[in-house]
């Protein structure tokens, strides 16, 4: 989903160009550059060099189509691998939808050290117990079981937001300069506007932001490279 979103916003560039061609001259492409620098800056550089940006935009568009096709194929394959037949109608789609909600939450809101430590482990246990019950009892009352799991997950998301994320933001553990407490630090420098390599999604978090409250003796905290 993260890779789809990173390239999916490319549709905004031809949309802006179309609106400008229709007479909406007040639209400034610089807005897209600030909003999506991993795409906007390469487009601006190509235009400054008087080179076409269409191949770059087409490449990201094709990437979205390929990744979305792989995503849909994976859903079908995982349904055949993990669930016995006969399968209740809608079960796998509801499970995948719940996982997607959790993933969107983690992508946007999961930033503090406490929430990073608590929420993935908790939701993993919820999904494990749900599947142990479903597969062990031939999907009996699967609707109620799935509803209970969804409520437990949503309750955990609300708890993490109110009791873990907001206090972390108040004590400056999460800031604009340090948007996540834990991150993947790469041993080489990277362009600040580039997206991290896709393989870093599978790499364990190896660095943590230190605030002035964490530093020994109240000294200045060290800065890390936020590459993943």
């Amino acid at each position: 989903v993260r890779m789809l979103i990173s390239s999916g916003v490319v549709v905004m560039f031809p949309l802006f160009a179309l609106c400008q061609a229709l007479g909406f001259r007040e639209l400034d492409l610089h807005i897209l550059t600030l909003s999506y620098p991993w795409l906007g800056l390469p487009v601006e550089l190509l235009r400054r060099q008087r080179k076409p940006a269409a191949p770059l935009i087409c490449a990201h568009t094709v990437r979205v189509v390929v990744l979305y096709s792989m995503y849909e194929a994976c859903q079908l394959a995982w349904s055949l691998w993990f669930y016995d037949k006969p399968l209740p109608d809608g079960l796998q789609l509801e499970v995948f939808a719940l996982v997607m909600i959790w993933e969107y939450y983690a992508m946007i809101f999961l930033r503090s050290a406490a929430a990073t430590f608590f929420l993935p482990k908790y939701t993993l246990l919820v999904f494990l117990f749900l599947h142990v019950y479903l597969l062990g009892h031939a999907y009996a009352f699967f609707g109620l079981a799935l509803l209970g799991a969804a409520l437990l997950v949503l309750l955990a998301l609300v708890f993490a937001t109110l009791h873990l994320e907001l206090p972390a933001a108040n004590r400056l553990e999460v800031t604009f300069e340090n948007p996540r407490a834990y991150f993947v630090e790469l041993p080489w420098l990277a362009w600040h506007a580039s997206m991290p390599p896709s393989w870093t999604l599978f790499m364990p978090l190896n660095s943590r932001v230190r605030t002035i409250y964490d530093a020994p003796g109240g000294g200045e905290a060290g800065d890390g490279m936020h590459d993943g």
Side-chain angles (χ1 to χ4, degrees), residues 59-76:
H60 280 278
T61 303
V62 173
R63 183 173 185 256
V64 170
V65 174
V66 172
L67 288 179
Y68 185 76
S69 301
M70 293 171 59
Y71 173 74
E72 291 292 335
C74 285
Q75 287 195 36
L76 178 60

Side-chain angles (χ1 to χ4, degrees), residues 16 19-20 22-31:
F16 258 55
C19 291
Q20 289 177 340
L22 293 176
F24 296 93
R25 298 297 180 182
E26 64 275 9
L27 294 178
D28 187 1
L29 189 63
H30 189 60
I31 299 176

Side-chain angles (χ1 to χ4, degrees), residues 113-181:
T116 302
F117 180 81
F118 159 74
L119 193 59
K121 298 179 179 64
Y122 173 85
T123 50
L124 176 62
L125 290 176
V126 171
F127 282 112
L128 283 178
F129 282 123
L130 171 66
H131 285 80
V132 167
Y133 169 79
L134 292 177
L135 298 177
H137 295 81
Y139 307 111
F141 302 103
F142 80 93
L144 291 176
L146 189 58
L147 177 61
L151 291 177
L152 289 175
V153 171
L154 294 178
L155 180 63
L157 301 185
V158 174
F159 171 82
T161 302
L162 297 180
H163 297 281
L164 300 178
E165 295 296 342
L166 289 180
N170 291 334
R171 62 176 179 266
L172 301 181
E173 178 184 323
V174 178
T175 62
F176 180 79
E177 292 79 14
N178 300 311
R180 295 187 188 274

Side-chain angles (χ1 to χ4, degrees), residues 3 49 69 79 81 108 126 159 177 192 204 209 215:
M3 290 189 290
Q49 299 171 11
S69 301
S79 298
W81 293 347
I108 299 173
V126 171
F159 171 82
E177 292 79 14
H192 71 281
V209 171

